[in-house]
Amino acid sequence: MRRWRLKRARSDLKDLLQKELRVSSILATLLVNRGIDSVEGASRFLSPRLSNLHNPFLLKGMREGVDRIVRAIVN
C-alpha cells in the first residue's frame, strides 16, 4: 500500500486557512502547496464561479479553433 507524503506548508497560513474555512489540516496544506496564500483566494478556489474564469479567447488560436468547429457543424 502506498502512502501520500505531503510537502510541508507554511504552518501559519495552513492554520489560518484551516480555521477560517473550517477545512481539514490536509486540505489546508494542499491549498497552501498549490500557491493559494489567502482566505479569499482559497474561497474562490473551493467555490468557483463562472464570472471568475479568464476569457478563453485570450488563448492563442482560440478564435481559429472555434471557427473550425462551427464550419464542421455547418457542413
Side-chain angles (χ1 to χ4, degrees), residues 49-65:
R49 298 195 185 285
L50 194 55
S51 61
N52 291 338
L53 295 178
H54 294 285
N55 180 347
F57 286 96
L58 296 176
L59 292 171
K60 183 178 178 182
M62 179 61 78
R63 172 59 55 201
E64 294 81 4

Side-chain angles (χ1 to χ4, degrees), residues 24-54:
S24 70
S25 175
I26 292 172
L27 180 54
T29 299
L30 292 172
L31 290 169
V32 173
N33 287 344
R34 253 189 112 76
I36 296 171
D37 60 0
S38 69
V39 172
E40 295 78 20
S43 293
R44 280 193 307 272
F45 180 81
L46 294 173
S47 300
R49 298 195 185 285
L50 194 55
S51 61
N52 291 338
L53 295 178
H54 294 285

